[in-house]
Amino acid sequence: MNPQLFFAFLLVSISLACTPGVDWAYSISAGLRQRSFVPAVAGLCGGYVIHTLLMAAGLAALLAGVPGLLSWLTVAGAAYLLWLGASTIRSWRGASFSADAGVVHSGNQLRTFLQGVGTSGINPKGLLFFVALVPQFVSPDASLPVPVQSGLLGMTFVVMAGLVYTGVALTSRKLLASRPGAARVVTLSSGIIMVGLGVVLLSEQIIPLVATHI
């Protein structure tokens, strides 16, 4: 691979992963509600692994080339964020983290992981990132085939995102462990962010549709 292109992509990946958004909100809220934040971070990374596989297989470009299908995906992603955000808001009063917190059962860990996969995997913004941005850092003259380069770039973003989200969860946990009031505020804020992003995604689909019928 082209070293300069790879380094540039590395910087872009770190910058995007460090940008607060729904992934940050989910990492923080799940970390405060569960003893371990690992399933949440692993789930978020798992969603981006799915995007990477789709991109390497050429399916992501196919989805981007079918406006109707991408619109339905956006609506599904918005509905999921609204549901997840509402669930987080409902649990804000009991948000805390302490050494004597209840034991997290494997079923809850699996649910947290799957919700993380859904949060990043069904997010059309993440899909568009892989479709629109990653190909710009692929060199057709490199010795590696284009699908392999795409896969390596995608996994590089997954690793960067995993490191950043782990740092976010650890930092927030240390800061909020002895501050149950702040933990509740952050959890409520995280839920509101998820709902807000869901509303924005829906409006991006509904407003143009309404405008065409006026």
Side-chain angles (χ1 to χ4, degrees), residues 78-147:
Y80 180 80
L81 287 178
L82 289 172
W83 172 79
L84 189 59
S87 300
T88 302
I89 291 174
R90 285 198 301 268
S91 67
W92 76 275
R93 292 184 181 276
S96 65
F97 178 81
S98 60
D100 57 352
V103 176
V104 177
H105 301 289
S106 58
N108 290 336
Q109 291 181 335
L110 178 60
R111 180 181 179 183
T112 300
F113 172 80
L114 293 177
Q115 286 181 342
V117 172
T119 299
S120 58
I122 205 172
N123 187 352
K125 298 296 184 181
L127 177 61
L128 290 176
F129 158 73
F130 279 92
V131 172
L133 189 61
V134 173
Q136 299 181 31
F137 297 91
V138 173
S139 175
D141 300 327
S143 58
L144 292 176
V146 170

Side-chain angles (χ1 to χ4, degrees), residues 127-188:
L127 177 61
L128 290 176
F129 158 73
F130 279 92
V131 172
L133 189 61
V134 173
Q136 299 181 31
F137 297 91
V138 173
S139 175
D141 300 327
S143 58
L144 292 176
V146 170
V148 175
Q149 292 184 64
S150 300
L152 289 175
L153 291 174
M155 292 308 299
T156 297
F157 177 78
V158 171
V159 173
M160 293 298 102
L163 292 175
V164 171
Y165 299 156
T166 297
V168 169
L170 278 173
T171 302
S172 62
R173 173 165 293 186
K174 289 182 179 297
L175 292 176
L176 302 175
S178 59
R179 301 175 177 84
R184 287 191 289 269
V185 171
V186 170
T187 299
L188 178 60

Side-chain angles (χ1 to χ4, degrees), residues 22-66:
V22 65
D23 292 350
W24 276 45
Y26 182 72
S27 298
I28 294 172
S29 63
L32 291 173
R33 289 183 294 165
Q34 305 284 352
R35 179 181 292 274
S36 174
F37 58 80
V38 174
V41 174
L44 291 171
C45 292
Y48 288 122
V49 169
I50 293 175
H51 285 315
T52 299
L53 293 175
L54 290 174
M55 176 185 60
L59 296 179
L62 176 62
L63 289 174
V66 183

